[in-house]
Amino acid sequence: MGRYTLMRLGIFAGCLVVVWGLVYSGIAPRGLGDSNYMWVVLLSLLISAPISFVVLRKERDRASAQVVARVDRMKANLESNRSQEDETADDAARHGAQGQTS
């Protein structure tokens, strides 16, 4: 997941540099008043999102598979712990019942 995040940040940084260059060279429009920095960042986000969606598809699928595997492993561990607790409670109930009947 970290690799995907770093790749996504890299695409955003590249878009930020390109948009900044386009805005300051006059090819792309400037923001109103003091909002120019915000305009450059928002435009970079808008451009980098679809690029990331297309370019990082395989990496996103790989990260998703890792997350699913981790969640499945955690569910299995929780279920294993629950069954152990149930067995322990059953054993304690049996031993308690045997002690009372003796």
Side-chain angles (χ1 to χ4, degrees):
M1 198 64 172
R3 180 178 172 180
Y4 172 75
T5 302
L6 287 175
M7 292 172 82
R8 194 116 191 238
L9 284 172
I11 290 173
F12 170 73
C15 288
L16 186 66
V17 168
V18 169
V19 169
W20 180 81
L22 291 174
V23 167
Y24 282 97
S25 67
I27 296 171
R30 291 181 181 257
L32 298 174
D34 292 336
S35 69
N36 199 40
Y37 295 114
M38 183 64 77
W39 166 251
V40 170
V41 170
L42 289 175
L43 192 56
S44 299
L45 281 171
L46 185 67
I47 292 170
S48 70
I51 293 172
S52 296
F53 184 74
V54 172
V55 172
L56 299 179
R57 178 170 290 151
K58 289 181 183 178
E59 190 64 35
R60 185 175 53 251
D61 291 343
R62 189 179 346 205
S64 175
Q66 289 175 350
V67 169
V68 167
R70 186 177 299 154
V71 167
D72 289 344
R73 196 170 49 245
M74 291 175 78
K75 284 181 181 179
N77 288 340
L78 283 174
E79 188 60 38
S80 172
N81 288 342
R82 284 184 189 145
S83 65
Q84 287 177 354
E85 290 174 4
D86 290 345
E87 289 172 7
T88 305
D90 290 343
D91 289 344
R94 279 190 216 125
H95 290 299
Q98 287 175 356
Q100 292 176 353
T101 57
S102 305

